Every structure is written in C-alpha cells, then in structure tokens.
C-alpha cells in the first residue's frame, strides 16, 4: 500500500486510535479497584478529621476501624432504616437533592480513646465555583459540636478555599445545633451581623462571601433533616 495515500493515513489513524483506546480502557479497568480504595481511604480520613483525628496515610484504615465503631442510616424522624446501601456507600450529593422525607441520612458513631462517643454527619452543598462538602461531629448530647471538616472542588485559593483550613473549621467546636429545644443551624456571618434568632455563629471567610453563604446553606439543608435524630440523642 502506498504510504503517501489518503487511505493509508486513514487506516493508520484508525488502528492507532483503536490500540490507544484499548490500552487506556485496560489501564482504567486494571486500576479501578485501587482508585476506589484510595477514594474510600480519603473519605475515611475526612470523617476522622471531623473528630480531630489525623492519621498517617499508612494508618487511615486501621484508625477508622478503631474509632468508627458503627455506622447506619436514619430518616427525618430520627429512626434507623434498612437500605440496600451501607451508610458509607450512600451518595450524599444525590441525597441532598431529595426532599428531607426521601433522604437516607448516614450517621457514623465514633468512640474516642477516652470512651466519649461522637456522632458524625456528612454534608454537601455548592460554593462559588463548584461543590463543597464536609462532616460535622456532635457530642452525645446531640447538640454540642465537637469538630468539623470542610472541603471543596474548585474554590479560589486564599479566599473561598480557606474553608478547608483549621482557622475556619475550628470555630465550630463548642457551638450548638439545638437551642431552646429548637434546631438552629450554625450561621456563617460576615461583618458582625449577629443572628437575630439566637443561633450560634462563626465568622465567614474573608473575601469568600459566596462560599461562606454556601457553607451556611449546606449546614441548614443537610443538618435540618437530622434534627429529630439529634433530639433523640439528648433524650428530648
């Protein structure tokens, strides 16, 4: 065949595309299990971070198994429910788009070294440039925040991306989700505007107004369905 002909060029490109595509597909399939394992480990790391536990990369799975003693799903009435999915496998992004009555709400129970039990709840929302998410843990009283972790996909470094820094997440420790027997999401404020309803609050990120509002909306939308569950923890 004439290597200078159009037909030869077309056949050459076709064969090359097939070979490269097959190689990429094989590589993707071969690495799928490892990619999923890495994603699971990162999720475990984030859950542990919400209870102020920061394992090394080599001990994430071991520490997760040591401290997270149980996980389950609840509904908006605070009752445990059975589902085909395990709590760890529930897609919170998908669940957050459903009405509260339709959601599967994952809960992770953590027992610290001193025996104290904490309850971890996942969150998912929208920032300025993409999704934001996180985990918040509460004491056994069902209202006092023990710790929090936030992450993002594409917020601006030095501005909205600051939500992932301890300087922001650390403000949540000691705040309350239930006041006067009523669920009140923690407000994220700018400019010293104290919430009029008496809700606890934290300072928003400087220069990250939209991301701060996104975190506030996420706290409200994702934690409100847990209110009955949280009330049950405190015996209310």
């Amino acid at each position: 065949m004439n290597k200078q002909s159009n037909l030869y060029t077309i056949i050459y490109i076709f064969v090359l595309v097939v070979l490269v595509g097959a190689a990429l597909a094989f590589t993707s399939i071969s690495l799928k299990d490892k990619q999923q394992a890495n994603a699971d480990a990162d999720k475990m790391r984030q859950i542990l971070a919400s209870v102020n536990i920061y394992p090394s990369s080599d001990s994430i799975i071991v520490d997760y198994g040591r401290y997270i003693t149980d996980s389950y799903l609840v509904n908006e009435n605070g009752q445990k429910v059975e589902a085909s999915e395990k709590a760890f496998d529930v897609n919170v992004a998908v669940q957050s788009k459903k009405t509260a009555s339709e959601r599967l709400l994952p809960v992770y129970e953590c027992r610290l070294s001193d025996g104290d039990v904490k309850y971890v709840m996942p969150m998912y929302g929208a920032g300025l440039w993409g999704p934001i998410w996180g985990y918040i843990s509460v004491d056994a009283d069902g209202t006092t925040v023990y710790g929090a972790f936030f992450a993002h996909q594409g917020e601006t470094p030095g501005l909205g991306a600051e939500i992932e820094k301890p300087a922001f997440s650390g403000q949540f420790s000691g705040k309350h989700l239930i006041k006067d027997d009523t669920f009140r999401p923690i407000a994220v404020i700018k400019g010293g505007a104290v919430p009029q309803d008496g809700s606890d609050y934290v300072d928003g990120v400087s220069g990250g107004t939209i991301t701060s509002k996104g975190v506030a909306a996420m706290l409200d939308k994702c934690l409100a369905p847990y209110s009955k569950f949280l009330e049950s923890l405190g015996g209310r």
Side-chain angles (χ1 to χ4, degrees), residues 73-199:
L73 297 166
V74 300
N75 57 24
E76 85 170 320
N77 294 318
Q79 303 165 327
K80 290 185 179 181
V81 296
E82 296 294 333
S84 58
E85 295 178 278
K86 295 181 179 179
F88 189 86
D89 298 326
V90 167
N91 189 324
V92 179
V94 172
Q95 295 298 320
S96 68
K97 294 177 174 61
K98 299 179 180 180
T99 62
S101 61
E102 297 177 318
R103 292 188 206 176
L104 295 175
L105 306 170
V107 176
Y108 303 90
E109 284 190 17
C110 173
R111 184 175 295 275
L112 302 180
S113 299
D114 60 7
D116 283 354
V117 176
K118 312 298 177 184
Y119 297 85
V120 181
M121 297 161 289
M123 304 172 290
Y124 188 91
L128 174 60
W129 301 113
I132 57 176
W133 63 91
Y135 297 87
I136 193 164
S137 62
V138 298
D139 290 340
D141 63 4
T143 179
T144 307
V145 175
Y146 180 71
F149 171 87
F150 298 98
H152 65 91
Q153 180 171 294
E155 300 306 287
T156 307
L159 298 175
E162 294 298 298
I163 63 171
E164 66 183 2
K165 301 294 181 61
F168 177 73
S169 60
Q171 298 181 84
F172 286 82
S173 179
K175 304 299 182 181
H176 296 86
L177 293 171
I178 297 176
K179 301 188 75 174
D180 300 324
D181 295 325
T182 301
F183 173 80
R184 301 185 191 278
I186 298 168
V188 182
I189 65 170
K190 297 284 298 243
V194 177
Q196 296 300 307
D197 63 357
S199 299

Side-chain angles (χ1 to χ4, degrees), residues 22 30 46 62 80 99 133 147 196 206 220:
S30 300
Q46 295 180 20
V62 172
K80 290 185 179 181
T99 62
W133 63 91
Q196 296 300 307
S206 178
D220 187 3

